[in-house]
Amino acid sequence: MAVESIAKTLGTGSGIDTTALVDQLVTAQFDAKNTQLSNQSDALDTKISAVSDIKSAISSFNTALKQLVKGGTLNTQPTSSNTGIVTAKATSGSTANLSGLSASIQVQQLAASQVANTTPFADSTSAIGTGTLTITLGTASVSNGQMTSFTAGSGTPVNITIDSTNNSLDGIAKAINAAGAGVTASVLSDSDGARLVLKSATGADQAFTLSATEDSSAPGLSALDVGVGAGNTTIGTAAQDAVVAVDGVSVKRSSNQISDLIDGVTLNLVSASPGTTVQIGSQAQTDNLRNAVNDFVDTYNQVMSTLQTDTDSKTGPLSTDTAARALQSALSQLTLTNLVNDEPSGSPQTLAEIGISTNRDGSLSVNTDQLDSALSNFPRAVEKMFSPGLLSTGDGLSAALDSITTRATSVVYGLGASAASYTTQKQHITDEQTQAASDADAMRTRLTQQFASMDSKVAAYKSTQTFLTQQINAWNSSSNG
């Protein structure tokens, strides 16, 4: 008989609710163990969640500091006394010391592209002719919109095939742009018609000629020629170098963006102004550094508060977690870590020396007067703490925090290892819970079968008792008659 069927008949012989009795016996046997396993599972869930929160907090802290440092807003920036003539910015990736920067600039001439345009055509879609267009880069002389001389450069001329699929101004412009010859093309349309406009890169050696080799069966491409004696095109702008005087020394450059004249500074030439001197200086980002210090302290305190709560010896889920405690210890030592090693004697080298102090509860606070003094007297040292790219021998705050984060989240000995251990323990408990449930089911089946057998025997005994009682009653009735 199936266990379910047995359970339905239990107690019919004995009159005892044996189904309830079996449930009570099974519960009594396994209740304590199930409660213990459930409590252990809940505790591990809390530990896993706490580890995850701390890993996320320290990783986010580290990432935010890296982004702040890489953004360049904390580094000393170059300045220009006349941004209408030249602007200055720090060269990306440069480690140059811009403190005390001083240079004079005169922009005598801007670099320019050669720009040529054809005489108007009726429209931009009509066929002009077929053949080959050849673009050659070099240097040229221009007078009154016409090229008077040209010297080809060392580069190989580029040939562009023009056939029936691209022999309109629109098609020719696309073909030139696709050729990568150092010249870009566009079509300019107005009330006079459509013109092909050609433009090179800036620099004296970026002048160009465009010469056509026409197919005899479809002539017309020579109307696009650019060069000496090409009367159908006009050169609106001649190719030329920028001419700049730096501290009185005149130099030429092919671009108006120049990054090789002042170490760590990229100059952008805006306009030519011969005889006008522009002073290039520098300015420490004092306000940004002050904000960065305060933001660092605020975020540090949030992370440390989470750590203190989770590692509390009485109530913390990670009170015995060595990785969490190691992280707490490493962070608490951060204000005393030497971050700058190559500044003059007396310069601050630690966060504590610029006014970041540790309170009795483990949080940090900022001594505003001490920070302002450090920013005023040692801006370079403070900047280096937040700008590892400027360091020669020190590591900087970002590198120090990154090292702490790497150790803290390690899957070998850090919080990553803790998470893996707790997850493994959780699986073991889940396995034990599954086994306990299986054992309870087995016990319930065994007891149900045992009580069913007992109940059957009791039913048989009761049947015999009833028969004997009836017989005795019958005998007694016969005797009395």
Side-chain angles (χ1 to χ4, degrees):
M1 181 181 296
V3 174
E4 183 179 356
S5 299
I6 293 174
K8 290 180 180 179
T9 60
L10 283 176
T12 56
S14 64
I16 299 173
D17 187 354
T18 51
T19 299
L21 180 59
V22 168
D23 287 339
Q24 292 171 4
L25 291 172
V26 172
T27 298
Q29 178 69 21
F30 289 95
D31 187 55
K33 184 172 184 178
N34 285 333
T35 299
Q36 179 187 27
L37 291 175
S38 179
N39 290 339
Q40 290 175 348
S41 179
D42 291 343
L44 285 171
D45 284 339
T46 302
K47 289 183 177 182
I48 292 171
S49 177
V51 166
S52 177
D53 289 344
I54 293 175
K55 283 178 62 181
S56 176
I58 189 64
S59 296
S60 296
F61 187 15
N62 185 40
T63 299
L65 184 59
K66 282 183 178 179
Q67 291 175 342
L68 178 64
V69 167
K70 290 181 179 179
T73 58
L74 306 181
N75 298 344
T76 295
Q77 298 296 313
T79 60
S80 167
S81 64
N82 191 331
T83 56
I85 296 176
V86 59
T87 63
K89 67 177 182 179
T91 302
S92 178
S94 172
T95 60
N97 181 2
L98 299 184
S99 298
L101 173 65
S102 178
S104 62
I105 300 290
Q106 284 190 24
V107 181
Q108 298 167 349
Q109 176 177 288
L110 293 180
S113 307
Q114 176 178 308
V115 180
N117 62 275
T118 65
T119 55
F121 290 80
D123 57 60
S124 64
T125 58
S126 298
I128 295 174
T130 61
T132 302
L133 296 176
T134 301
I135 294 177
T136 305
L137 298 180
T139 58
S141 296
V142 175
S143 177
N144 297 322
Q146 297 298 310
M147 188 177 292
T148 57
S149 68
F150 180 80
T151 302
S154 59
T156 302
V158 176
N159 295 320
I160 304 167
T161 300
I162 305 300
D163 55 28
S164 60
T165 65
N166 61 357
N167 61 350
S168 66
L169 284 185
D170 287 340
I172 291 170
K174 290 180 181 178
I176 291 174
N177 290 332
V183 174
T184 58
S186 60
V187 176
L188 177 63
S189 298
D190 58 20
S191 60
D192 293 330
R195 297 176 177 84
L196 182 67
V197 180
L198 304 170
K199 183 177 183 179
S200 69
T202 60
D205 60 356
Q206 296 300 304
F208 63 90
T209 60
L210 178 71
S211 58
T213 302
E214 299 180 332
D215 291 337
S216 58
S217 59
L221 284 182
S222 60
L224 306 179
D225 281 357
V226 177
V228 178
N232 289 327
T233 55
T234 301
I235 299 177
T237 303
Q240 64 182 26
D241 287 332
V243 180
V244 182
V246 182
D247 292 332
V249 179
S250 183
V251 296
K252 293 182 177 181
R253 292 293 184 269
S254 62
S255 172
N256 290 316
Q257 188 173 82
I258 306 172
S259 58
D260 62 351
L261 293 181
I262 302 175
D263 189 22
V265 177
T266 297
L267 301 174
N268 184 43
L269 310 184
V270 179
S271 63
S273 184
T276 301
T277 299
V278 179
Q279 295 298 326
I280 302 298
S282 64
Q283 182 177 18
Q285 302 302 293
T286 303
D287 289 341
N288 289 344
L289 285 168
R290 184 182 294 106
N291 291 336
V293 168
N294 285 289
D295 288 346
F296 170 81
V297 168
D298 289 343
T299 307
Y300 175 100
N301 288 341
Q302 292 173 19
V303 174
M304 184 59 78
S305 176
T306 299
L307 269 169
Q308 290 173 333
T309 299
D310 289 338
T311 58
D312 183 271
S313 59
K314 295 181 179 179
T315 61
L318 303 180
S319 59
T320 60
D321 190 291
T322 56
R325 289 199 167 275
L327 172 58
Q328 185 177 8
S329 176
L331 285 175
S332 67
Q333 298 171 23
L334 193 54
T335 58
L336 302 178
T337 300
N338 194 342
L339 303 175
V340 181
N341 298 321
D342 59 350
E343 282 297 289
S345 176
S347 298
Q349 298 180 330
T350 68
L351 294 177
E353 291 174 333
I354 66 171
I356 301 178
S357 58
T358 303
N359 303 317
R360 296 186 63 179
D361 63 358
S363 64
L364 300 183
S365 59
V366 180
N367 183 316
T368 303
D369 291 340
Q370 189 176 352
L371 175 59
D372 287 345
S373 177
L375 289 170
S376 176
N377 298 317
F378 306 100
R380 175 71 174 173
V382 180
E383 181 179 337
K384 281 188 174 183
M385 291 184 186
F386 286 85
S387 306
L390 299 177
L391 299 173
S392 58
T393 57
D395 291 328
L397 179 58
S398 180
L401 184 60
D402 187 58
S403 178
I404 291 173
T405 302
T406 299
R407 294 196 302 271
T409 57
S410 169
V411 297
V412 178
Y413 47 78
L415 292 169
S418 297
S421 175
Y422 297 145
T423 300
T424 298
Q425 293 176 48
K426 169 82 173 176
Q427 184 58 53
H428 288 165
I429 290 176
T430 300
D431 293 342
E432 287 188 62
Q433 289 174 319
T434 300
Q435 185 61 51
S438 177
D439 292 345
D441 288 341
M443 181 178 180
R444 182 175 286 101
T445 298
R446 185 177 70 254
L447 291 178
T448 297
Q449 291 173 340
Q450 290 174 350
F451 279 117
S453 175
M454 177 199 70
D455 202 59
S456 176
K457 291 177 181 179
V458 170
Y461 294 150
K462 290 178 69 175
S463 176
T464 300
Q465 181 184 26
T466 299
F467 172 75
L468 291 175
T469 298
Q470 291 174 345
Q471 287 295 102
I472 291 172
N473 290 335
W475 293 336
N476 288 336
S477 176
S478 175
S479 298
N480 292 333

